[in-house]
Amino acid sequence: MNKPPFPPRWPGRILRLFCAPHLIEELEGDLHELFTQRMRLYGAGHARSRYVRDVFSLARPFAFKKEVSKYPPPSVSPFDMIRNYFKIALRNMWKNKGFSAMNITGLVAGITACLMILQYVSFELNFDRFNKDFDRIYRVTNDRFQQGKLIQHGTITYPAVAAAMAKDFNEIENYTTIANPGTFSLQKDRRIFEAKGAYADERFLSLFTFPLVAGDRETALKAPHSIVISETNARRIFQAGPNDYASLIGKTIVVDLDTEQYQITGVMKDFPATSHLQFGALMSFETLTKTWGEWIKTSWESSDVWHYMKLRPGVDAATLAKKLPAFSERHFHGSKVSGSVEQFFLQPLSKAHLFSDYEYEIGQVNSGKAVWTMLTIAVFILLIAWINYINLATARSLERAREVGIRKVAGATSWQLVSQFMSESVVLNLLGLSLGIMLTLLLQPALNHLIERPLSFAMLTGAGFGGQGFAFIVTGVFLLGILLSGFYPAFALSSFKAVQVLKGSFKRSAKGIWVRQSLVVFQYTASMVLIVGTFIVSKQLKFMRQEKLGFNMDQVLVIRGPELTRWDSTSIDRINSFKTELERIPSVQMASASGNLFGNRLSRSFNFRRIGSNDEKGVTFSRMQVDADFFDTYKIPLLAGRNFLPGDSNPNSGKVKSAILNESAAKLLGFANAADAAGQKFLFNGKEWDIVGVVSDFHQQSLKHTIEPIVFAPFYTLSGFISIKITASDPARSIAMVHEKFNDFFPGNNFNYFFMDQHFDEQYKEDRIFGKISSLFSILAVLIASLGIFGLSSYTIAQRTKEIGVRKVLGATVSGIVALLSRDFLKLVLFAVVIGAPIAWYGINIWLNDFAYHIDVEWWMFVIAAALSIAIAFVSVSFQSIRAALTNPVKSLRSE
């Protein structure tokens, strides 16, 4: 039997798209009746074509008109709706205090940590940007090559460089030169005030933005023996207030041992904390020209100054840099200096603080890698906190599924449900943000003390890097994060099918499970990276503290030499007599004098040549002035030859000809071993020197630097240091007795002291700070991630309540159920470990490359980190698993 023909379906679908719902049934009945009549009279083809035409003819205004409801909805303003959403959000938060508290805790911890790190990052990136046209200011650096080997990578260079560049290149608008930076003794009315300072030319104050509060910046540093002091020094030395600064102009002050007094020509504001240069006093460069000679401005042979340049607007620094090799060939003659080749470069001022791996650095420096690492940790922490919120919000999905079903049955649209859940997210996140800001302000002093930085919340509101733009970006990121972290839970919850939920047949979404598992993998990948990084940073810092340096600096008290005592023919005898008196103190074991110390960059000299060698090219050594007791005081082994004798020194430096080399220096001169070098000679500065001994190599500087060849000469200086080996019994009493002896021998000098181990450890200050803050915030990130997996385990276990009850009835043990529930999560953590390990390995090797001597990254370090990650995850999951396993199965099955 043939079925009766039906009209085509697709016109009916189109009709339903545009026709008012209350008219569809009537119109479709009429169209079907006409279709049947035409079939009978004219055939199927004619009936179908007329059916299509009739459907499209109904696309008229009457068909679009909606039915007027007998019960019109009440008039509700959008503001009432929003207020209602937020009211319900607050009720839900109060009703579920535990989940709300956990959510807020994670958000507050994450936001607080992020804000703190962003302050630090903003402060560090903001260095030197206060200078007008900072993006056009560069400093001259140079690399020195000798026999094809890089022997110096420094910021210090030749006096004539800046003037020659300004003459040769029209691209340079302005330049300034700095010389002899250090700590100076400013003396007024027999009082001594120590201040950091330097000699600078008259262009310094116009190139940099260091405003004067008194004086003329154009002329303040023009005349010889002119000095500009900071506001702090004006208060210290003259007890002057802001209204008194102008009256200081013209007053005089004594600087170090200079016989001519300096005239104050200006008072400047204290240098900002974000300046890599930090000076409290500026002396005119012309003073050096007058006292040292014209060579300090014209020399191409002595590397003693620092140059900064300002390029003209629109000049491409990279293009100018390409002209510098020809400039070097045109002006520099290595044969006159060291047989070396010089290459000059221009480093942007904005990189002087964070991206300086140069020697002879005169400014504050930090590691750009460390700063960007901290920014990465901040991003990780914030993402982990928001992911933690998402997981905890979706953990309550079963609990809220019935609520969604009832709301949908009552007529709520999906958009209204999304708005409701988004309002809850916004309330919770804004509460977390508000508490995070308050906690940041509360913890600000502790953070500043920990990292030794003057941070403030203003770093994020326009006073830091990027100004207002950075503030807008930070605000935008937080607002975007709040919205995005709320979207997934909102859409996930609003997508529940009302019928399934109310029937009790609601099931987990495979897509939802995949999303939540992916978020957990990301959290623990980040945690794995942070745990490995924290562990290896800690190991490297410990290695640097405990590695044998080649000398013993325990309980060595160091005092600065009597810099305000003039040198004369009796100075050597006076220093030796002072040492003898010191050794009469019961707690003093030995004392020695030196021109420099461990931890400081030594000066270099060139053209050392072994006598008897066919090599006509000289080599470069670092040099250090020491007395006969120096090596014994620091327990530096003598490998061959003898130590210095008192007779090796002479007030007339031209008569000194004895030298001691370290192993590296002996090898560089071509000697096979220390014994071969002892008793031989080398030529330096037109004079033959006797190698009287060879000592073992030691680390003159931190483990970031390689061991250098060093030549030691028995010179004395009053501006050096006295190292005193004391017993550990009563250091305070020992210092007091040394102070008394110092005043007896060198009256009128400041007594400044420190311990050698503390001084040497200062080289690792920034690394220690990085280690502290990275460890602190990494641990916090891991704890927040644990909250996330806790939330996801709660979600999963809640959906398996019936299964757990059935398994217990069938005889499953508590341990078996815990293992079953934990297994899936531990798989995710193991997957995260596999992903995170190579990322951590790559990142930590980049950081370790900054150290010439560092630990080896070994496999067991990753095993420890992986075990720790798994243990943390297991503890987080097992809490919920054990509670579920201990639940009475009758109660579990009844609840289902």
Side-chain angles (χ1 to χ4, degrees):
M1 182 178 180
N2 294 332
K3 293 183 180 180
F6 289 95
R9 294 182 180 180
W10 63 269
R13 294 195 185 101
I14 294 175
L15 177 67
R16 288 185 177 85
L17 288 176
F18 67 78
C19 188
H22 67 285
L23 297 176
I24 288 178
E25 186 176 355
E26 182 181 352
L27 292 176
E28 280 189 337
D30 292 342
L31 289 171
H32 282 210
E33 187 176 340
L34 287 171
F35 175 82
T36 303
Q37 291 176 2
R38 288 170 182 150
M39 272 286 300
R40 208 169 40 244
L41 296 173
Y42 307 110
H46 178 80
R48 287 192 179 93
S49 63
R50 286 298 300 272
Y51 182 83
V52 173
R53 202 164 73 187
D54 289 343
V55 167
F56 283 102
S57 69
L58 292 174
R60 287 178 286 172
F62 85 92
F64 301 124
K65 188 176 180 180
K66 303 298 181 182
E67 183 179 17
V68 178
S69 174
K70 297 177 182 178
Y71 307 99
S75 177
V76 180
S77 72
F79 296 105
D80 291 333
M81 292 291 292
I82 293 172
R83 184 174 59 187
N84 184 58
Y85 287 153
F86 282 100
K87 189 183 295 184
I88 295 173
L90 291 172
R91 285 177 182 170
N92 278 321
M93 287 172 58
W94 183 252
K95 179 182 176 183
N96 300 278
K97 300 181 189 68
F99 271 100
S100 298
M102 200 178 301
N103 262 322
I104 292 172
T105 300
L107 287 171
V108 170
I111 290 171
T112 301
C114 185
L115 290 175
M116 285 182 167
I117 294 174
L118 286 177
Q119 285 184 45
Y120 170 75
V121 171
S122 176
F123 177 83
E124 292 293 330
L125 293 178
N126 200 41
F127 260 72
D128 296 307
R129 291 174 180 267
F130 63 87
N131 288 288
K132 183 182 178 182
D133 302 324
F134 76 92
D135 55 333
R136 292 197 281 127
I137 300 176
Y138 294 77
R139 67 175 177 181
V140 180
T141 64
N142 78 312
D143 286 351
R144 178 175 295 153
F145 295 86
Q146 195 172 64
Q147 301 178 22
K149 181 181 179 182
L150 179 66
I151 60 169
Q152 182 167 301
H153 177 64
T155 58
I156 194 171
T157 187
Y158 304 97
V161 169
M165 283 188 176
K167 182 180 179 181
D168 287 9
F169 306 122
N170 188 52
E171 293 94 330
I172 296 174
E173 179 182 293
N174 197 5
Y175 68 91
T176 189
T177 302
I178 301 171
N180 201 31
T183 300
F184 294 83
S185 295
L186 309 182
Q187 303 156 67
K188 185 67 177 178
D189 300 331
R190 296 186 178 181
R191 293 177 301 150
I192 304 171
F193 303 89
E194 293 189 345
K196 290 183 178 180
Y199 288 85
D201 64 23
E202 67 272 18
R203 293 173 291 271
F204 181 89
L205 293 172
S206 59
L207 190 142
F208 293 109
T209 307
F210 298 123
L212 296 187
V213 294
D216 181 4
R217 73 172 188 177
E218 300 296 331
T219 60
L221 293 173
K222 197 167 187 178
H225 288 91
S226 299
I227 185 172
V228 175
I229 60 174
S230 67
E231 288 183 287
T232 294
N233 283 322
R235 291 192 295 269
R236 289 172 63 210
I237 301 171
F238 297 97
Q239 293 76 50
N243 296 329
D244 305 320
Y245 293 154
S247 65
L248 298 182
I249 305 300
K251 291 190 175 184
T252 58
I253 194 170
V254 176
V255 178
D256 288 346
L257 291 174
D258 206 318
T259 55
E260 188 172 341
Q261 293 195 351
Y262 285 67
Q263 186 178 63
I264 297 175
T265 54
V267 178
M268 60 185 175
K269 284 185 174 293
D270 290 344
F271 281 26
T274 52
S275 171
H276 84 287
L277 296 175
Q278 290 293 326
F279 300 133
L282 296 172
M283 286 71 72
S284 62
F285 196 86
E286 286 300 317
T287 308
L288 297 182
T289 306
K290 181 179 178 181
T291 55
W292 292 2
E294 283 293 322
W295 70 267
I296 194 60
K297 295 171 74 174
T298 61
S299 174
W300 284 95
E301 298 180 10
S302 295
S303 188
D304 292 293
V305 300
W306 290 259
H307 299 295
Y308 290 81
M309 307 264 179
K310 186 175 184 179
L311 305 186
R312 297 187 187 279
V315 171
D316 181 25
T319 302
L320 177 59
K322 293 177 181 178
K323 301 178 182 180
L324 296 183
F327 169 84
S328 179
E329 292 179 8
R330 192 161 56 245
H331 293 281
F332 179 76
H333 303 289
S335 58
K336 293 182 179 180
V337 184
S338 57
S340 65
V341 174
E342 298 277 341
Q343 291 183 1
F344 298 101
F345 304 93
L346 296 177
Q347 185 193 35
L349 181 65
S350 58
K351 293 188 175 181
H353 173 64
L354 289 181
F355 302 96
S356 175
D357 59 345
Y358 294 98
E359 300 169 311
Y360 303 104
E361 179 61 71
I362 61 171
Q364 296 185 94
V365 296
N366 196 1
S367 169
K369 292 178 183 177
V371 172
W372 288 112
T373 299
M374 290 310 304
L375 183 60
T376 303
I377 291 175
V379 172
F380 277 169
I381 288 176
L382 201 57
L383 288 176
I384 288 172
W386 278 327
I387 290 171
N388 172 48
Y389 167 76
I390 292 171
N391 281 336
L392 288 172
T394 54
R396 294 182 54 219
S397 58
L398 272 180
E399 200 175 301
R400 305 203 61 179
R402 191 173 297 275
E403 174 192 342
V404 172
I406 293 172
R407 284 178 178 274
K408 283 195 170 184
V409 168
T413 65
S414 293
W415 178 245
Q416 287 174 326
L417 290 170
V418 168
S419 300
Q420 171 62 52
F421 294 128
M422 279 298 299
S423 67
E424 293 184 21
S425 171
V426 169
V427 168
L428 206 64
N429 275 275
L430 287 179
L431 182 59
L433 180 60
S434 302
L435 292 175
I437 291 173
M438 287 191 287
L439 190 58
T440 300
L441 295 174
L442 185 65
L443 297 176
Q444 192 76 68
L447 175 66
N448 290 359
H449 177 73
L450 176 68
I451 66 175
E452 302 176 33
R453 300 284 196 282
L455 303 185
S456 70
F457 202 76
M459 291 286 117
L460 304 180
T461 57
F465 171 74
Q468 296 292 336
F470 185 76
F472 284 125
I473 291 173
V474 171
T475 304
V477 167
F478 275 101
L479 292 178
L480 183 63
I482 289 172
L483 293 174
L484 292 179
S485 64
F487 265 127
Y488 174 70
F491 279 101
L493 292 170
S494 64
S495 65
F496 294 160
K497 302 295 183 184
V499 176
Q500 291 180 358
V501 170
L502 297 177
K503 277 185 175 181
S505 58
F506 171 70
K507 295 181 180 180
R508 290 178 291 178
S509 163
K511 183 178 180 181
I513 293 173
W514 181 85
V515 170
R516 287 186 290 275
Q517 288 179 342
S518 298
L519 294 178
V520 169
V521 169
F522 173 82
Q523 283 183 311
Y524 271 85
T525 297
S527 298
M528 176 66 182
V529 172
L530 294 176
I531 290 172
V532 170
T534 299
F535 181 69
I536 294 181
V537 167
S538 175
K539 291 286 290 183
Q540 175 64 18
L541 293 176
K542 184 179 179 181
F543 167 77
M544 292 189 297
R545 289 194 303 270
Q546 297 181 351
E547 178 69 1
K548 293 182 179 180
L549 300 172
F551 63 92
N552 189 322
M553 57 182 174
D554 294 337
Q555 293 300 121
V556 176
L557 174 71
V558 180
I559 61 175
R560 293 187 181 276
E563 296 175 334
L564 299 181
T565 299
R566 296 190 182 279
W567 179 267
D568 58 29
S569 59
T570 66
S571 293
I572 293 179
D573 291 335
R574 190 187 301 186
I575 292 174
N576 286 328
S577 298
F578 174 59
K579 287 167 48 186
T580 301
E581 282 297 311
L582 289 177
E583 290 170 358
R584 290 177 180 172
I585 299 173
S587 58
V588 173
Q589 298 176 356
M590 184 172 287
S592 67
S594 61
N596 214 323
L597 282 179
F598 305 110
N600 295 347
R601 171 69 257 172
L602 300 179
S603 298
R604 286 195 180 96
S605 292
F606 312 99
N607 276 345
F608 288 86
R609 281 184 282 197
R610 173 183 171 185
I611 293 179
S613 170
N614 295 325
D615 194 351
E616 296 181 358
K617 295 181 179 179
V619 294
T620 299
F621 290 160
S622 293
R623 64 180 191 274
M624 191 171 183
Q625 303 168 358
V626 300
D627 69 0
D629 298 314
F630 180 82
F631 300 113
D632 291 335
T633 301
Y634 284 104
K635 302 292 189 293
I636 299 174
L638 183 69
L639 301 180
R642 64 170 175 83
N643 200 344
F644 287 130
L645 300 174
D648 291 329
S649 300
N650 196 298
N652 183 352
S653 60
K655 295 182 179 180
V656 176
K657 62 175 184 177
S658 298
I660 291 177
L661 307 180
N662 69 348
E663 289 178 274
S664 294
K667 290 177 181 177
L668 194 58
L669 283 177
F671 296 108
N673 52 58
D676 290 347
Q680 301 298 314
K681 296 178 182 292
F682 65 83
L683 186 67
F684 170 66
N685 207 19
K687 184 173 70 174
E688 289 188 4
W689 293 74
D690 297 321
I691 305 173
V692 298
V694 177
V695 295
S696 65
D697 281 340
F698 57 84
H699 292 278
Q700 165 64 26
Q701 290 183 274
S702 74
L703 297 184
K704 290 185 176 182
H705 305 276
T706 58
I707 293 175
E708 291 197 8
I710 305 175
V711 58
F712 303 90
F715 290 114
Y716 283 73
T717 175
L718 293 173
S719 59
F721 303 90
I722 308 293
S723 300
I724 307 162
K725 185 78 171 180
I726 63 174
T727 59
S729 56
D730 191 356
R733 179 172 172 78
S734 300
I735 293 169
M737 297 178 74
V738 169
H739 189 181
E740 183 180 348
K741 298 288 185 184
F742 183 84
N743 288 341
D744 291 342
F745 275 83
F746 308 108
N749 285 272
N750 273 354
F751 179 74
N752 296 307
Y753 72 91
F754 50 86
F755 282 92
M756 186 65 242
D757 55 350
Q758 295 175 353
H759 173 76
F760 194 88
D761 202 40
E762 275 295 298
Q763 298 174 96
Y764 302 121
K765 176 182 174 181
E766 295 300 331
D767 297 300
R768 286 199 313 274
I769 291 173
F770 171 68
K772 287 178 184 177
I773 58 178
S774 64
S775 299
L776 173 65
F777 291 119
S778 295
I779 291 170
L780 184 62
V782 173
L783 293 177
I784 297 172
S786 300
L787 281 177
I789 202 169
F790 177 86
L792 188 57
S793 65
S794 302
Y795 170 82
T796 304
I797 291 169
Q799 291 192 328
R800 300 179 71 176
T801 303
K802 184 175 181 180
E803 176 192 343
I804 294 169
V806 171
R807 287 181 179 274
K808 287 200 71 176
V809 169
L810 295 176
T813 62
V814 172
S815 59
I817 291 174
V818 170
L820 174 71
L821 296 175
S822 303
R823 184 173 56 202
D824 291 339
F825 295 103
L826 296 183
K827 286 179 181 178
L828 297 178
V829 176
L830 283 171
F831 186 52
V833 165
V834 172
I835 297 174
I839 297 174
W841 178 86
Y842 177 76
I844 206 66
N845 273 287
I846 291 176
W847 182 72
L848 288 174
N849 284 338
D850 286 341
F851 299 87
Y853 305 91
H854 56 75
I855 61 173
D856 295 324
V857 180
E858 300 183 56
W859 63 269
W860 58 265
M861 298 177 179
F862 294 89
V863 172
I864 290 176
L868 189 58
S869 297
I870 294 170
I872 293 171
F874 181 74
V875 170
S876 301
V877 174
S878 62
F879 175 80
Q880 289 291 335
S881 302
I882 293 171
R883 191 171 72 170
L886 293 175
T887 303
N888 188 335
V890 175
K891 184 178 178 181
S892 301
L893 295 174
R894 183 186 296 131
S895 68
E896 292 291 329

